[in-house]
Amino acid sequence: MPGPEEFEARLSSLGLRTERRENLVVVHLDPSLGPAAGTFVEVGTDPPPDYPRVPPHWVHLPVRFELPGGGRNGSELGAGWSKWSRPHPRWRGGPGAANEWLAHVRALLAEATVT
């Protein structure tokens, strides 16, 4: 079961709520650091068909967030969302892939600013 279904299943096994929106998966998570600490944030991504060998590439966030380094693009999630190209820099994949992605996104949110 590689691909988006496995991505969802692994994050769900970690106690996170996920939601499919066409080809994207939206994850509800609580960042422990940064401007959104102590709140729940929806984060979208695009798990490829060969996940967990290949990581999700895009990070979709509500428009109130800005990630360092620029690169904001329009999101397929529609109005109120933006996306950034932020592939995981040292992806290992395999059984720990969901934890790798989660740590990556939490690190991005810790550095984000909120407008």
Side-chain angles (χ1 to χ4, degrees):
M1 163 181 76
E5 294 80 14
E6 182 168 351
F7 181 77
E8 281 186 285
R10 289 190 183 198
L11 289 172
S12 293
S13 75
L14 296 174
L16 297 172
R17 191 175 75 150
T18 64
E19 176 185 341
R20 279 300 282 274
R21 297 190 191 167
E22 297 187 22
N23 294 331
L24 302 175
V25 175
V26 175
V27 182
H28 303 259
L29 60 90
D30 55 335
S32 53
L33 300 171
T39 67
F40 279 90
V41 177
E42 290 183 312
V43 178
T45 194
D46 61 334
D50 44 1
Y51 173 89
R53 190 178 61 76
V54 175
H57 181 86
W58 294 97
V59 175
H60 300 251
L61 295 170
V63 294
R64 70 182 185 271
F65 289 95
E66 183 64 51
L67 295 180
R72 180 188 292 262
N73 293 279
S75 169
E76 296 85 344
L77 290 169
W81 288 84
S82 296
K83 72 178 182 180
W84 290 263
S85 173
R86 295 295 191 269
H88 194 288
R90 292 172 292 283
W91 189 257
R92 288 187 288 288
N99 281 318
E100 284 184 71
W101 181 84
L102 189 55
H104 175 62
V105 169
R106 284 188 167 145
L108 291 173
L109 286 170
E111 297 179 338
T113 56
V114 176
T115 58

